[in-house]
Amino acid sequence: MRRQPSYTLPVLLLLFGLLVALFSPILFTSKIVRAPDILNEFYWGVNNAFGKPLWSMLRIDLSNAGWDPYINSGHTNDGGMASMQFHLYQRLLFGLIPAPASVAWFMVLHLFLGGVGSYLYCRLIGCSRMASFFAGIVFSFCTENTSLINAGHVMKIATIAHAPWVFYFLEKGFLSRRWFPYLCAGMVLAFQFFNTHWQIAYYTCLAVAVYTIIRLLYGIFDGETVRENSRTLLMTALMTLFFLSASAISLAPLAGWSRDTNRGVHSGANQGKGGLEREEAMSWSLPPEETLALVVPGLFGLSRQEGGDKPNPDQTYYWGRMIFTQTASYFGLLPWMLLPLPLFFRKDRITVAALVAVIGGILFSMGKYTPFYQFLYDYLPGISRFRVPKMMLFMTAFGLAVLTARAIDILRDGEIMESRDIKRWFFWIIAFPFLLTALLGTEKLFGSSIRGALFELLSRPTRYQGGLELVSQRWFNIEKETGTALALASFSALLLLGIARRRIQIWLGISLLLFMLIADLWRVNRQFLVLTEPPNRTEASLTPAMKWIKDHNMAVDKVPQFRVLPLGDSDPMRYASAKIPVLFTPNAVQKVRWQNYLDALSVDSSMLDIMNVRWLVSDEKVYEREKARFGERYLPVFRGGGEVLLENSKVLPKVWLVSDLRVVTDSAQRLKLMQEPGFEPSRIALVESPPTKPLSKGAGLGKVQLKQYDKEKMAVAADLTLNSLLLLGEKYHSGWKATVDGKPLEIIPVDHILRGVYLEPGRHLVEFRFDPLPFKIGKWLTLGSFAIFAIFALREWSLRRRYRNVS
């Protein structure tokens, strides 16, 4: 039997070509997307990847969990990020395309990946190639997804791109009732999780659960046997277990790591249940009135202010009730006008599931404004760990993409278009222009009254805009956007009626609809593609103060020992990027023990001394104005580039000994004692439980010397005359293990935040190694799952080859 050509590749190449052409302003340039998350973070992770040998791009190193000594006085997530090495195609991209262009290509290629998944899903459920192409366009080009470029949410785009593929393989499993598609769905879920945007991955899992429930319910209503439904349920459960196992290299470390963070179960937040407090967890909920912006984009302004640009005269930034936003929730006008067609004429489980994705995504995104999300926050595990309910709108995008594809096929169905029932849809599409006309008329006739009622909101300043002129500027933007939407809706309604009544040839009408959809989305999307010159943090760009520190910072094994505390608005990541250790970086999620230390931090106490903070960097003018508060303890050692470098005269060495202990079990009391000017950490240590052996008090405890100071390994040579407590100026973390002369040794928390070990008299070699157990367990579970998948993949390949030979 001769196989018929599928024409899939040409269609996908067309989708790829459209995306490349439309995003060419950010793809073919030496500039970089102006977004803080890219400029300050992501760019520096890929800046040096270009031009490396191919073997290094494909090399996977799972030998350690990873401890970064430069960030936050030592930063880790217990190995939860090691799984990113499995995304080999991403590493090849950054190795083959130089930064900053590679950053833009990374985002656009993942939008393409999501579009391909949407196309293949729609083909699987029976949509035509043209209709499926519409789905790919809606998902990969809707402003809700593409404006994430403006926000610099690179990994969020990569994570979202995997979602359509999950449903493609899941639906394939439902249809075939075979194991392999379910394993593929579980594997895609795992690789989605590996992109490190765990909130999107969690939301995808919730959507998969709802999708499965709908599928099972329809199976019951359609008369499927108990055995058939049981098999579907069993396969879905095994898919879930396979996903958990395949993602264990990330999931196991993160589960343990997050437990002791300010969002974990031990944080004390959320009435002692862990997670975020209710108000914070529901921040960036979509206000109900902003659902109008799903049809009229820019009704509440279009934001790109976080990128740092000043507005053009015709540009209005977001001014709604959210704290701020860097994106716009728009999917195009056409999908909404086509929405009822599949509801009227394709009432099956696919339509219901897609509609649930659309409506459920919107309700979920409204967060605190709905009882629905309040209930989920109280009773659904995991919801309270995340902010920004609005992120769920990526599922609305996928649902709309599927419904649009089905609607396009219905438009091509002559029998349906000639039926009397089609008039119901006519009323719907005609209603759009009339409602928008009424809205515009209301704005024109009652504008003064409405502006007065909304004056406080309309006059609220943004980072770059202020003054009473904002009210008139924003109101003009509202009228302009409503007028634009009215013109588009009117033309779309005429075109749709012409296609339905066959006054326009179908192929021409569908082509015009596609053109209008792309043009409509592009007029909004283009406003989010803001570029700037790439930052330069090479050695030549170091400030004079940074150069001085690098020349004077004592190092062991090329890792500097002492830390820096930038004061004022200076970005700590700038120092970390230059391989200068900083005391802290402003991370949203911190370990509770560390966050408590930062909250209690005072430059007048010894809290900086114990963490080896040797230098403070201050703006020169600020220092001259506040010189008195630094006193004799912090004296200037260098001036240059408008900065003053202050040296801490009381900084402690990396390692020291004490024998005088005080047991303080209450963390607040410990921190209060550490804040007192009279506390001397070089002489006395605060511990949380009595020592196993009494310590010998007195002078002459012995000598200690740091012999090795690597990222994941440290070694100290000790020559003691008395029982003592050895302290290391490093953060306490359960993932660090210690040995003395090769024998295991317990590490205890000292002074709330430090590591300490008890030692007996004699000469010892004390070694510290970062070796968290969850990472090791998760690593072998993941590798085992990969092996199982490889076996099934080979079996699938063999079966298909045998089938082709028979055919």
Side-chain angles (χ1 to χ4, degrees):
M1 183 184 297
R2 185 176 179 181
R3 300 179 67 196
Q4 297 297 318
S6 67
Y7 301 106
T8 296
L9 183 58
V11 174
L12 297 183
L13 287 175
L14 177 59
L15 176 61
F16 178 74
L18 276 172
L19 286 170
V20 170
L22 292 168
F23 286 103
S24 59
I26 65 172
L27 294 176
F28 303 104
T29 177
S30 59
K31 294 185 177 182
I32 189 171
V33 173
R34 181 156 58 185
D37 286 1
I38 291 177
L39 296 173
N40 298 328
E41 297 177 24
F42 193 83
Y43 173 69
W44 299 108
V46 302
N47 187 36
N48 297 319
F50 177 69
K52 290 186 176 180
L54 181 62
W55 66 266
S56 66
M57 301 177 202
L58 301 178
R59 180 172 176 265
I60 296 176
D61 181 9
L62 304 177
S63 59
N64 58 71
W67 179 272
D68 189 338
Y70 300 103
I71 299 175
N72 223 10
S73 292
H75 174 75
T76 186
N77 50 33
D78 292 1
M81 306 284 280
S83 59
M84 291 187 69
Q85 297 179 76
F86 295 130
H87 285 292
L88 297 178
Y89 72 95
Q90 296 181 8
R91 297 163 67 187
L92 283 171
L93 172 67
F94 294 121
L96 298 174
I97 301 177
S102 59
V103 180
W105 278 100
F106 181 89
M107 293 186 284
V108 173
L109 286 174
H110 275 98
L111 290 173
F112 171 66
L113 180 67
V116 172
S118 302
Y119 172 88
L120 293 178
Y121 175 86
C122 289
R123 290 291 287 151
L124 181 66
I125 62 173
C127 297
S128 66
R129 284 187 294 273
M130 174 59 79
S132 301
F133 187 76
F134 269 82
I137 289 292
V138 170
F139 188 84
S140 62
F141 204 55
C142 70
T143 309
E144 170 61 29
N145 290 341
T146 59
S147 60
L148 292 170
I149 294 173
N150 171 74
H153 292 167
V154 182
M155 299 314 297
K156 186 187 296 185
I157 294 174
T159 311
I160 285 171
H162 287 70
W165 288 89
V166 174
F167 293 99
Y168 167 72
F169 284 115
L170 186 60
E171 181 62 23
K172 206 166 189 177
F174 287 153
L175 294 174
S176 67
R177 300 185 185 278
R178 297 178 63 245
W179 291 105
F180 189 66
Y182 285 96
L183 289 181
C184 289
M187 184 63 78
V188 174
L189 276 172
F191 272 79
Q192 184 192 45
F193 195 83
F194 293 163
N195 278 293
T196 71
H197 202 292
W198 302 300
Q199 184 170 357
I200 295 295
Y202 174 72
Y203 286 173
T204 304
C205 290
L206 292 182
V208 165
V210 174
Y211 190 85
T212 303
I213 291 171
I214 292 173
R215 176 66 177 80
L216 290 172
L217 289 175
Y218 264 86
I220 295 172
F221 295 148
D222 291 345
E224 292 185 0
T225 65
V226 174
R227 182 177 180 181
E228 288 173 329
N229 273 306
S230 298
R231 181 177 174 83
T232 299
L233 185 61
L234 176 62
M235 287 182 169
T236 307
L238 290 176
M239 177 200 73
T240 304
L241 291 175
F242 181 75
F243 154 64
L244 295 174
S245 177
S247 61
I249 191 172
S250 283
L251 196 58
L254 289 170
W257 173 83
S258 63
R259 190 178 298 114
D260 297 318
T261 65
N262 49 5
R263 297 189 187 181
V265 294
H266 301 317
S267 67
N270 185 18
Q271 294 80 47
K273 300 177 183 178
L276 298 168
E277 296 286 0
R278 184 178 297 268
E279 190 62 30
E280 185 179 2
M282 298 185 188
S283 55
W284 284 278
S285 297
L286 183 71
E289 68 274 10
E290 291 190 30
T291 56
L292 288 172
L294 300 177
V295 176
V296 185
L299 198 64
F300 295 86
L302 292 173
S303 175
R304 36 185 242 211
Q305 63 190 39
E306 291 303 303
D309 62 316
K310 295 186 178 181
N312 299 321
D314 62 341
Q315 182 182 351
T316 301
Y317 284 149
Y318 173 78
W319 52 270
R321 284 197 286 165
M322 286 188 286
I323 301 172
F324 67 88
T325 183
Q326 299 160 298
T327 61
S329 303
Y330 188 57
F331 308 93
L333 187 60
L334 181 63
W336 299 112
M337 300 185 76
L338 293 173
L339 180 67
L341 279 178
L343 304 184
F344 294 156
F345 303 105
R346 292 288 188 273
K347 297 177 183 179
D348 58 15
R349 60 182 178 82
I350 297 295
T351 296
V352 169
L355 184 64
V356 169
V358 172
I359 297 176
I362 294 173
L363 284 176
F364 192 100
S365 70
M366 292 169 67
K368 65 182 178 182
Y369 302 106
T370 65
F372 170 69
Y373 194 84
Q374 301 279 357
F375 177 84
L376 294 178
Y377 175 86
D378 288 329
Y379 298 105
L380 186 62
I383 291 291
S384 65
R385 269 44 175 191
F386 304 109
R387 301 180 301 177
V388 198
K390 183 177 172 289
M391 283 191 197
M392 184 58 92
L393 284 176
F394 78 97
M395 283 308 307
T396 298
F398 182 63
L400 273 177
V402 174
L403 292 174
T404 300
R406 304 201 99 186
I408 292 296
D409 276 341
I410 293 171
L411 273 180
R412 301 170 63 194
D413 190 321
E415 184 177 342
I416 292 178
M417 290 297 106
E418 292 174 3
S419 68
R420 297 180 62 181
D421 290 339
I422 198 66
K423 292 181 179 180
R424 292 183 296 170
W425 177 61
F426 289 169
F427 286 121
W428 172 265
I429 59 175
I430 294 172
F432 266 80
F434 277 103
L435 290 174
L436 288 170
T437 300
L439 178 61
L440 184 60
T442 302
E443 293 167 0
K444 294 287 187 181
L445 294 173
F446 304 103
S448 298
S449 300
I450 299 173
R451 287 197 298 271
L454 299 178
F455 181 81
E456 183 177 350
L457 193 59
L458 282 166
S459 61
R460 189 172 67 178
T462 65
R463 183 175 178 182
Y464 295 107
Q465 295 174 303
L468 292 177
E469 67 274 9
L470 280 181
V471 176
S472 57
Q473 180 183 340
R474 286 167 174 167
W475 192 256
F476 173 77
N477 183 73
I478 289 173
E479 293 180 346
K480 182 187 72 173
E481 291 291 341
T482 306
T484 302
L486 172 58
L488 185 63
S490 300
F491 187 76
S492 298
L494 290 173
L495 182 57
L496 288 169
L497 288 171
I499 295 172
R501 288 305 186 188
R502 297 301 188 253
R503 301 291 189 268
I504 301 174
Q505 291 188 12
I506 295 178
W507 69 267
L508 177 61
I510 298 296
S511 300
L512 288 173
L513 285 178
L514 180 63
F515 175 80
M516 286 183 58
L517 174 63
I518 295 173
D520 178 27
L521 290 170
W522 177 244
R523 73 184 178 91
V524 182
N525 292 352
R526 65 184 178 83
Q527 300 188 55
F528 291 92
L529 305 182
V530 188
L531 297 170
T532 188
E533 294 295 333
N536 181 16
R537 293 184 187 170
T538 61
E539 187 69 28
S541 70
L542 297 178
T543 66
M546 293 168 69
K547 289 181 180 179
W548 193 94
I549 293 172
K550 288 182 75 71
D551 292 338
H552 292 78
N553 202 354
M554 297 173 60
V556 175
D557 293 335
K558 298 182 181 180
V559 180
Q561 292 185 41
F562 293 102
R563 298 187 174 92
V564 178
L565 175 59
L567 302 175
D569 297 329
S570 184
D571 182 11
M573 285 301 298
R574 184 177 187 183
Y575 292 82
S577 297
K579 303 299 181 184
I580 299 174
V582 292
L583 177 68
F584 76 95
T585 48
N587 298 350
V589 182
Q590 302 271 26
K591 287 286 188 176
V592 171
R593 187 181 287 270
W594 180 241
Q595 186 64 62
N596 291 341
Y597 166 86
L598 293 177
D599 292 340
L601 186 63
S602 169
V603 297
D604 299 324
S605 69
S606 59
M607 298 183 74
L608 294 182
D609 309 340
I610 62 175
M611 290 305 299
N612 306 135
V613 178
R614 187 174 182 179
W615 296 287
L616 280 63
V617 184
S618 173
D619 179 82
E620 192 167 16
K621 293 180 180 178
V622 174
Y623 171 73
E624 292 299 334
R625 188 170 61 246
E626 302 179 4
K627 184 187 299 184
R629 82 180 182 100
F630 293 106
E632 296 296 320
R633 180 173 181 172
Y634 302 100
L635 297 176
V637 292
F638 177 82
R639 293 174 185 261
E643 293 180 324
V644 178
L645 192 60
L646 308 174
E647 185 168 13
N648 179 9
S649 60
K650 294 187 177 182
V651 64
L652 289 168
K654 180 60 65 179
V655 58
W656 70 97
L657 298 169
V658 297
S659 61
D660 193 0
L661 305 182
R662 182 171 176 181
V663 179
V664 184
T665 56
D666 182 67
S667 60
Q669 186 180 358
R670 282 196 305 273
L671 292 167
K672 186 176 181 180
L673 288 171
M674 291 168 62
Q675 288 175 320
E676 294 179 358
F679 178 65
E680 299 181 46
S682 62
R683 185 183 58 85
I684 187 172
L686 305 180
V687 295
E688 300 173 20
S689 59
T692 54
K693 293 183 180 179
L695 300 190
S696 308
K697 296 184 180 181
L701 299 176
K703 297 179 181 180
V704 287
Q705 182 182 5
L706 187 65
K707 303 295 290 184
Q708 181 181 4
Y709 186 52
D710 204 348
K711 291 183 178 180
E712 284 89 21
K713 187 177 181 181
M714 301 173 190
V716 177
D719 188 358
L720 276 61
T721 57
L722 301 171
N723 287 340
S724 307
L725 175 63
L726 182 148
L727 279 79
L728 195 64
E730 296 288 327
K731 285 162 65 174
Y732 173 81
H733 189 284
S734 59
W736 281 91
K737 312 300 179 186
T739 60
V740 55
D741 303 326
K743 298 178 182 179
L745 185 65
E746 181 186 5
I747 301 177
I748 64 167
V750 184
D751 293 343
H752 188 76
I753 197 60
L754 299 182
R755 297 177 219 157
V757 293
Y758 290 114
L759 295 177
E760 297 178 347
R763 292 185 177 181
H764 306 288
L765 178 64
V766 185
E767 294 180 295
F768 298 86
R769 184 183 295 274
F770 187 60
D771 190 25
L773 181 61
F775 173 71
K776 291 193 291 187
I777 295 174
K779 175 174 67 176
W780 290 113
L781 282 173
T782 293
L783 294 178
S785 300
F786 285 0
I788 292 173
F789 183 80
I791 293 171
F792 273 86
L794 287 172
R795 178 177 178 272
E796 186 74 8
W797 174 78
S798 176
L799 290 174
R800 290 192 177 189
R801 186 180 180 186
R802 191 181 310 166
Y803 173 77
R804 288 195 203 101
N805 291 336
V806 171
S807 300

